[in-house]
Amino acid sequence: NAGVTQTPKFRVLKTGQSMTLLCAQDMNHEYMYWYRQDPGMGLRLIHYSVGEGTTAKGEVPDGYNVSRLKKQNFLLGLESAAPSQTSVYFCASSYPPGQGDSNQPQHFGDGTRLSIL
Amino acid sequence: EDKVVQSPLSLVVHEGDTVTLNCSYEVTNFRSLLWYKQEKKAPTFLFMLTSSGIEKKSGRLSSILDKKELFSILNITATQTGDSAIYLCAFRIQGAQKLVFGQGTRLTINP
């Protein structure tokens, strides 16, 4: 029962470098999400996807791109990393509204701690 | 703009105490309010509330929603050190699976 798996768990980047965070889920969920969590600010939605091949912007999308080429994977890319993107990134997945969501609306991964120097 | 505010932001109590965490919201097209517990890693789901006045209970934890006054509370009785965590509330909007989170309350239970 892997659930939602994020890789890597930790990463340190230099300003201007690019990288991709990978999220994989094995629950056949249609919806997937990327959040960032900063101290005192809860979780903020970066981008999300309601199905394979579709993505949409969340609250804080600037500086990030995403792709959902396969249903089970959701990739988050940082085009040119900036110190302001130092954060903990969480991926989540869920069923569409009204389907099997009464017990646990979104399943979260364990997070990726990213530091930009 | 939709928003959710939690209070207090931080709380330190002794084991055995009872605590009440607050979550107030301003949102259009409200669908449900959720509580999560976050220890070191992934947030784990506690409750989902959609109807006013109906208490949800799980062991020593309980929660209730007031849709008229736009708030929810999370109660923890007979606290234990294992209850130490960040407690997050979030709301879900009608027609969407997106969640909007509050800042979280960091709860510390001292033995």
Side-chain angles (χ1 to χ4, degrees), chain A residues 17-42:
Chain A
Q17 287 185 315
S18 62
M19 80 161 294
T20 300
L21 307 185
L22 171 64
C23 177
Q25 54 96 3
D26 61 1
M27 295 171 283
N28 203 34
H29 285 161
E30 287 290 333
Y31 287 30
M32 296 186 75
Y33 317 79
W34 277 107
Y35 294 90
R36 60 178 288 175
Q37 186 175 33
D38 302 295
M41 299 188 75

PDB file of all heavy atoms in Angstrom, chain A residues 17-42:
ATOM      1  N   GLN A  17      19.011  27.117 -10.906  1.00  0.00           N
ATOM      2  CA  GLN A  17      18.949  25.732 -11.365  1.00  0.00           C
ATOM      3  C   GLN A  17      17.490  25.307 -11.557  1.00  0.00           C
ATOM      4  O   GLN A  17      16.571  25.918 -11.008  1.00  0.00           O
ATOM      5  CB  GLN A  17      19.625  24.798 -10.351  1.00  0.00           C
ATOM      6  CG  GLN A  17      21.127  24.897 -10.328  1.00  0.00           C
ATOM      7  CD  GLN A  17      21.767  23.873  -9.398  1.00  0.00           C
ATOM      8  OE1 GLN A  17      21.309  23.665  -8.270  1.00  0.00           O
ATOM      9  NE2 GLN A  17      22.834  23.250  -9.864  1.00  0.00           N
ATOM     10  N   SER A  18      17.312  24.267 -12.337  1.00  0.00           N
ATOM     11  CA  SER A  18      15.967  23.736 -12.540  1.00  0.00           C
ATOM     12  C   SER A  18      15.910  22.318 -11.982  1.00  0.00           C
ATOM     13  O   SER A  18      16.938  21.657 -11.835  1.00  0.00           O
ATOM     14  CB  SER A  18      15.623  23.736 -14.025  1.00  0.00           C
ATOM     15  OG  SER A  18      16.510  22.886 -14.730  1.00  0.00           O
ATOM     16  N   MET A  19      14.705  21.899 -11.654  1.00  0.00           N
ATOM     17  CA  MET A  19      14.535  20.525 -11.216  1.00  0.00           C
ATOM     18  C   MET A  19      13.061  20.122 -11.317  1.00  0.00           C
ATOM     19  O   MET A  19      12.192  20.983 -11.474  1.00  0.00           O
ATOM     20  CB  MET A  19      15.029  20.316  -9.790  1.00  0.00           C
ATOM     21  CG  MET A  19      14.094  20.762  -8.703  1.00  0.00           C
ATOM     22  SD  MET A  19      14.477  20.000  -7.124  1.00  0.00           S
ATOM     23  CE  MET A  19      14.105  18.276  -7.456  1.00  0.00           C
ATOM     24  N   THR A  20      12.835  18.817 -11.211  1.00  0.00           N
ATOM     25  CA  THR A  20      11.487  18.268 -11.279  1.00  0.00           C
ATOM     26  C   THR A  20      11.238  17.391 -10.072  1.00  0.00           C
ATOM     27  O   THR A  20      12.057  16.539  -9.729  1.00  0.00           O
ATOM     28  CB  THR A  20      11.304  17.433 -12.561  1.00  0.00           C
ATOM     29  OG1 THR A  20      11.523  18.262 -13.701  1.00  0.00           O
ATOM     30  CG2 THR A  20       9.894  16.854 -12.619  1.00  0.00           C
ATOM     31  N   LEU A  21      10.097  17.638  -9.429  1.00  0.00           N
ATOM     32  CA  LEU A  21       9.637  16.785  -8.345  1.00  0.00           C
ATOM     33  C   LEU A  21       8.621  15.802  -8.901  1.00  0.00           C
ATOM     34  O   LEU A  21       7.748  16.189  -9.683  1.00  0.00           O
ATOM     35  CB  LEU A  21       8.979  17.606  -7.232  1.00  0.00           C
ATOM     36  CG  LEU A  21       9.769  18.774  -6.655  1.00  0.00           C
ATOM     37  CD1 LEU A  21       9.018  19.401  -5.488  1.00  0.00           C
ATOM     38  CD2 LEU A  21      11.148  18.346  -6.226  1.00  0.00           C
ATOM     39  N   LEU A  22       8.736  14.555  -8.470  1.00  0.00           N
ATOM     40  CA  LEU A  22       7.847  13.520  -8.983  1.00  0.00           C
ATOM     41  C   LEU A  22       6.864  13.072  -7.911  1.00  0.00           C
ATOM     42  O   LEU A  22       7.234  12.871  -6.754  1.00  0.00           O
ATOM     43  CB  LEU A  22       8.657  12.309  -9.457  1.00  0.00           C
ATOM     44  CG  LEU A  22       7.868  11.056  -9.820  1.00  0.00           C
ATOM     45  CD1 LEU A  22       6.959  11.321 -11.025  1.00  0.00           C
ATOM     46  CD2 LEU A  22       8.802   9.884 -10.096  1.00  0.00           C
ATOM     47  N   CYS A  23       5.616  12.924  -8.311  1.00  0.00           N
ATOM     48  CA  CYS A  23       4.585  12.376  -7.443  1.00  0.00           C
ATOM     49  C   CYS A  23       3.933  11.203  -8.151  1.00  0.00           C
ATOM     50  O   CYS A  23       3.536  11.331  -9.318  1.00  0.00           O
ATOM     51  CB  CYS A  23       3.538  13.435  -7.132  1.00  0.00           C
ATOM     52  SG  CYS A  23       2.167  12.835  -6.122  1.00  0.00           S
ATOM     53  N   ALA A  24       3.831  10.081  -7.456  1.00  0.00           N
ATOM     54  CA  ALA A  24       3.190   8.899  -8.026  1.00  0.00           C
ATOM     55  C   ALA A  24       2.165   8.369  -7.043  1.00  0.00           C
ATOM     56  O   ALA A  24       2.428   8.301  -5.839  1.00  0.00           O
ATOM     57  CB  ALA A  24       4.235   7.828  -8.318  1.00  0.00           C
ATOM     58  N   GLN A  25       0.979   8.014  -7.569  1.00  0.00           N
ATOM     59  CA  GLN A  25      -0.060   7.427  -6.718  1.00  0.00           C
ATOM     60  C   GLN A  25      -0.570   6.143  -7.354  1.00  0.00           C
ATOM     61  O   GLN A  25      -0.673   6.027  -8.577  1.00  0.00           O
ATOM     62  CB  GLN A  25      -1.208   8.428  -6.480  1.00  0.00           C
ATOM     63  CG  GLN A  25      -1.821   9.016  -7.732  1.00  0.00           C
ATOM     64  CD  GLN A  25      -3.056   8.330  -8.226  1.00  0.00           C
ATOM     65  OE1 GLN A  25      -3.559   7.388  -7.611  1.00  0.00           O
ATOM     66  NE2 GLN A  25      -3.566   8.791  -9.367  1.00  0.00           N
ATOM     67  N   ASP A  26      -0.897   5.182  -6.482  1.00  0.00           N
ATOM     68  CA  ASP A  26      -1.323   3.872  -6.960  1.00  0.00           C
ATOM     69  C   ASP A  26      -2.769   3.583  -6.580  1.00  0.00           C
ATOM     70  O   ASP A  26      -3.173   2.417  -6.484  1.00  0.00           O
ATOM     71  CB  ASP A  26      -0.399   2.784  -6.425  1.00  0.00           C
ATOM     72  CG  ASP A  26      -0.396   2.692  -4.897  1.00  0.00           C
ATOM     73  OD1 ASP A  26      -1.140   3.476  -4.251  1.00  0.00           O
ATOM     74  OD2 ASP A  26       0.351   1.869  -4.354  1.00  0.00           O
ATOM     75  N   MET A  27      -3.563   4.624  -6.365  1.00  0.00           N
ATOM     76  CA  MET A  27      -4.952   4.450  -5.942  1.00  0.00           C
ATOM     77  C   MET A  27      -5.939   4.729  -7.074  1.00  0.00           C
ATOM     78  O   MET A  27      -7.145   4.811  -6.848  1.00  0.00           O
ATOM     79  CB  MET A  27      -5.228   5.386  -4.752  1.00  0.00           C
ATOM     80  CG  MET A  27      -4.399   5.007  -3.532  1.00  0.00           C
ATOM     81  SD  MET A  27      -4.480   6.222  -2.214  1.00  0.00           S
ATOM     82  CE  MET A  27      -3.396   7.480  -2.860  1.00  0.00           C
ATOM     83  N   ASN A  28      -5.423   4.908  -8.263  1.00  0.00           N
ATOM     84  CA  ASN A  28      -6.267   5.166  -9.430  1.00  0.00           C
ATOM     85  C   ASN A  28      -7.100   6.447  -9.280  1.00  0.00           C
ATOM     86  O   ASN A  28      -8.210   6.542  -9.796  1.00  0.00           O
ATOM     87  CB  ASN A  28      -7.184   3.975  -9.724  1.00  0.00           C
ATOM     88  CG  ASN A  28      -7.647   3.952 -11.161  1.00  0.00           C
ATOM     89  OD1 ASN A  28      -6.914   4.344 -12.074  1.00  0.00           O
ATOM     90  ND2 ASN A  28      -8.872   3.510 -11.388  1.00  0.00           N
ATOM     91  N   HIS A  29      -6.552   7.420  -8.557  1.00  0.00           N
ATOM     92  CA  HIS A  29      -7.260   8.682  -8.372  1.00  0.00           C
ATOM     93  C   HIS A  29      -7.204   9.529  -9.633  1.00  0.00           C
ATOM     94  O   HIS A  29      -6.165   9.613 -10.294  1.00  0.00           O
ATOM     95  CB  HIS A  29      -6.645   9.467  -7.211  1.00  0.00           C
ATOM     96  CG  HIS A  29      -7.009   8.927  -5.868  1.00  0.00           C
ATOM     97  ND1 HIS A  29      -6.292   9.218  -4.730  1.00  0.00           N
ATOM     98  CD2 HIS A  29      -8.031   8.127  -5.472  1.00  0.00           C
ATOM     99  CE1 HIS A  29      -6.852   8.628  -3.689  1.00  0.00           C
ATOM    100  NE2 HIS A  29      -7.900   7.954  -4.124  1.00  0.00           N
ATOM    101  N   GLU A  30      -8.316  10.201  -9.907  1.00  0.00           N
ATOM    102  CA  GLU A  30      -8.340  11.099 -11.055  1.00  0.00           C
ATOM    103  C   GLU A  30      -7.619  12.414 -10.765  1.00  0.00           C
ATOM    104  O   GLU A  30      -6.982  12.982 -11.627  1.00  0.00           O
ATOM    105  CB  GLU A  30      -9.791  11.416 -11.430  1.00  0.00           C
ATOM    106  CG  GLU A  30     -10.538  10.269 -12.105  1.00  0.00           C
ATOM    107  CD  GLU A  30     -10.019   9.995 -13.507  1.00  0.00           C
ATOM    108  OE1 GLU A  30      -9.498  10.924 -14.154  1.00  0.00           O
ATOM    109  OE2 GLU A  30     -10.112   8.826 -13.952  1.00  0.00           O
ATOM    110  N   TYR A  31      -7.821  12.933  -9.562  1.00  0.00           N
ATOM    111  CA  TYR A  31      -7.344  14.272  -9.240  1.00  0.00           C
ATOM    112  C   TYR A  31      -6.001  14.203  -8.513  1.00  0.00           C
ATOM    113  O   TYR A  31      -5.802  13.367  -7.628  1.00  0.00           O
ATOM    114  CB  TYR A  31      -8.334  14.996  -8.321  1.00  0.00           C
ATOM    115  CG  TYR A  31      -9.620  15.473  -8.968  1.00  0.00           C
ATOM    116  CD1 TYR A  31     -10.194  14.824 -10.043  1.00  0.00           C
ATOM    117  CD2 TYR A  31     -10.266  16.592  -8.463  1.00  0.00           C
ATOM    118  CE1 TYR A  31     -11.370  15.270 -10.611  1.00  0.00           C
ATOM    119  CE2 TYR A  31     -11.448  17.056  -9.023  1.00  0.00           C
ATOM    120  CZ  TYR A  31     -11.999  16.390 -10.095  1.00  0.00           C
ATOM    121  OH  TYR A  31     -13.164  16.834 -10.649  1.00  0.00           O
ATOM    122  N   MET A  32      -5.115  15.122  -8.876  1.00  0.00           N
ATOM    123  CA  MET A  32      -3.833  15.238  -8.182  1.00  0.00           C
ATOM    124  C   MET A  32      -3.505  16.707  -7.984  1.00  0.00           C
ATOM    125  O   MET A  32      -3.960  17.568  -8.747  1.00  0.00           O
ATOM    126  CB  MET A  32      -2.723  14.524  -8.955  1.00  0.00           C
ATOM    127  CG  MET A  32      -2.939  13.005  -9.049  1.00  0.00           C
ATOM    128  SD  MET A  32      -1.568  12.111  -9.788  1.00  0.00           S
ATOM    129  CE  MET A  32      -0.366  12.137  -8.438  1.00  0.00           C
ATOM    130  N   TYR A  33      -2.700  16.976  -6.940  1.00  0.00           N
ATOM    131  CA  TYR A  33      -2.454  18.354  -6.507  1.00  0.00           C
ATOM    132  C   TYR A  33      -1.001  18.516  -6.061  1.00  0.00           C
ATOM    133  O   TYR A  33      -0.404  17.583  -5.537  1.00  0.00           O
ATOM    134  CB  TYR A  33      -3.327  18.715  -5.296  1.00  0.00           C
ATOM    135  CG  TYR A  33      -4.758  18.263  -5.361  1.00  0.00           C
ATOM    136  CD1 TYR A  33      -5.106  16.945  -5.077  1.00  0.00           C
ATOM    137  CD2 TYR A  33      -5.777  19.153  -5.708  1.00  0.00           C
ATOM    138  CE1 TYR A  33      -6.414  16.518  -5.134  1.00  0.00           C
ATOM    139  CE2 TYR A  33      -7.091  18.733  -5.763  1.00  0.00           C
ATOM    140  CZ  TYR A  33      -7.406  17.421  -5.476  1.00  0.00           C
ATOM    141  OH  TYR A  33      -8.713  17.007  -5.539  1.00  0.00           O
ATOM    142  N   TRP A  34      -0.502  19.728  -6.225  1.00  0.00           N
ATOM    143  CA  TRP A  34       0.765  20.115  -5.617  1.00  0.00           C
ATOM    144  C   TRP A  34       0.534  21.312  -4.700  1.00  0.00           C
ATOM    145  O   TRP A  34      -0.054  22.310  -5.115  1.00  0.00           O
ATOM    146  CB  TRP A  34       1.812  20.489  -6.663  1.00  0.00           C
ATOM    147  CG  TRP A  34       2.537  19.325  -7.235  1.00  0.00           C
ATOM    148  CD1 TRP A  34       2.403  18.783  -8.474  1.00  0.00           C
ATOM    149  CD2 TRP A  34       3.555  18.562  -6.584  1.00  0.00           C
ATOM    150  NE1 TRP A  34       3.250  17.719  -8.631  1.00  0.00           N
ATOM    151  CE2 TRP A  34       3.980  17.564  -7.484  1.00  0.00           C
ATOM    152  CE3 TRP A  34       4.164  18.620  -5.329  1.00  0.00           C
ATOM    153  CZ2 TRP A  34       4.960  16.641  -7.181  1.00  0.00           C
ATOM    154  CZ3 TRP A  34       5.148  17.693  -5.021  1.00  0.00           C
ATOM    155  CH2 TRP A  34       5.543  16.723  -5.940  1.00  0.00           C
ATOM    156  N   TYR A  35       1.026  21.178  -3.455  1.00  0.00           N
ATOM    157  CA  TYR A  35       0.955  22.252  -2.473  1.00  0.00           C
ATOM    158  C   TYR A  35       2.373  22.601  -2.024  1.00  0.00           C
ATOM    159  O   TYR A  35       3.273  21.777  -2.078  1.00  0.00           O
ATOM    160  CB  TYR A  35       0.196  21.812  -1.215  1.00  0.00           C
ATOM    161  CG  TYR A  35      -1.264  21.507  -1.386  1.00  0.00           C
ATOM    162  CD1 TYR A  35      -1.703  20.223  -1.697  1.00  0.00           C
ATOM    163  CD2 TYR A  35      -2.224  22.500  -1.190  1.00  0.00           C
ATOM    164  CE1 TYR A  35      -3.052  19.934  -1.821  1.00  0.00           C
ATOM    165  CE2 TYR A  35      -3.579  22.222  -1.306  1.00  0.00           C
ATOM    166  CZ  TYR A  35      -3.984  20.929  -1.615  1.00  0.00           C
ATOM    167  OH  TYR A  35      -5.323  20.662  -1.732  1.00  0.00           O
ATOM    168  N   ARG A  36       2.508  23.807  -1.503  1.00  0.00           N
ATOM    169  CA  ARG A  36       3.719  24.142  -0.772  1.00  0.00           C
ATOM    170  C   ARG A  36       3.313  24.569   0.636  1.00  0.00           C
ATOM    171  O   ARG A  36       2.234  25.146   0.841  1.00  0.00           O
ATOM    172  CB  ARG A  36       4.542  25.229  -1.458  1.00  0.00           C
ATOM    173  CG  ARG A  36       3.863  26.564  -1.668  1.00  0.00           C
ATOM    174  CD  ARG A  36       4.816  27.569  -2.308  1.00  0.00           C
ATOM    175  NE  ARG A  36       5.852  28.026  -1.387  1.00  0.00           N
ATOM    176  CZ  ARG A  36       6.858  28.816  -1.713  1.00  0.00           C
ATOM    177  NH1 ARG A  36       6.990  29.263  -2.961  1.00  0.00           N
ATOM    178  NH2 ARG A  36       7.751  29.190  -0.805  1.00  0.00           N
ATOM    179  N   GLN A  37       4.185  24.260   1.592  1.00  0.00           N
ATOM    180  CA  GLN A  37       3.906  24.614   2.971  1.00  0.00           C
ATOM    181  C   GLN A  37       5.062  25.416   3.531  1.00  0.00           C
ATOM    182  O   GLN A  37       6.199  24.950   3.568  1.00  0.00           O
ATOM    183  CB  GLN A  37       3.680  23.365   3.830  1.00  0.00           C
ATOM    184  CG  GLN A  37       3.248  23.698   5.254  1.00  0.00           C
ATOM    185  CD  GLN A  37       2.910  22.467   6.076  1.00  0.00           C
ATOM    186  OE1 GLN A  37       3.502  21.400   5.891  1.00  0.00           O
ATOM    187  NE2 GLN A  37       1.959  22.594   6.989  1.00  0.00           N
ATOM    188  N   ASP A  38       4.755  26.611   3.951  1.00  0.00           N
ATOM    189  CA  ASP A  38       5.735  27.499   4.554  1.00  0.00           C
ATOM    190  C   ASP A  38       5.322  27.792   5.993  1.00  0.00           C
ATOM    191  O   ASP A  38       4.126  27.754   6.312  1.00  0.00           O
ATOM    192  CB  ASP A  38       5.828  28.805   3.765  1.00  0.00           C
ATOM    193  CG  ASP A  38       6.181  28.555   2.321  1.00  0.00           C
ATOM    194  OD1 ASP A  38       7.302  28.072   2.084  1.00  0.00           O
ATOM    195  OD2 ASP A  38       5.352  28.811   1.425  1.00  0.00           O
ATOM    196  N   PRO A  39       6.284  28.110   6.865  1.00  0.00           N
ATOM    197  CA  PRO A  39       5.948  28.340   8.282  1.00  0.00           C
ATOM    198  C   PRO A  39       4.868  29.411   8.434  1.00  0.00           C
ATOM    199  O   PRO A  39       4.949  30.493   7.855  1.00  0.00           O
ATOM    200  CB  PRO A  39       7.288  28.802   8.872  1.00  0.00           C
ATOM    201  CG  PRO A  39       8.316  28.183   7.990  1.00  0.00           C
ATOM    202  CD  PRO A  39       7.725  28.195   6.612  1.00  0.00           C
ATOM    203  N   GLY A  40       3.847  29.099   9.231  1.00  0.00           N
ATOM    204  CA  GLY A  40       2.801  30.057   9.530  1.00  0.00           C
ATOM    205  C   GLY A  40       1.819  30.316   8.409  1.00  0.00           C
ATOM    206  O   GLY A  40       0.988  31.222   8.510  1.00  0.00           O
ATOM    207  N   MET A  41       1.902  29.518   7.308  1.00  0.00           N
ATOM    208  CA  MET A  41       1.028  29.807   6.173  1.00  0.00           C
ATOM    209  C   MET A  41       0.208  28.610   5.724  1.00  0.00           C
ATOM    210  O   MET A  41      -0.440  28.660   4.692  1.00  0.00           O
ATOM    211  CB  MET A  41       1.839  30.339   4.988  1.00  0.00           C
ATOM    212  CG  MET A  41       2.565  31.637   5.311  1.00  0.00           C
ATOM    213  SD  MET A  41       3.314  32.394   3.886  1.00  0.00           S
ATOM    214  CE  MET A  41       1.872  33.067   3.078  1.00  0.00           C
ATOM    215  N   GLY A  42       0.209  27.540   6.467  1.00  0.00           N
ATOM    216  CA  GLY A  42      -0.567  26.376   6.056  1.00  0.00           C
ATOM    217  C   GLY A  42      -0.092  25.839   4.715  1.00  0.00           C
ATOM    218  O   GLY A  42       1.055  26.041   4.316  1.00  0.00           O
TER     219      GLY A  42
END
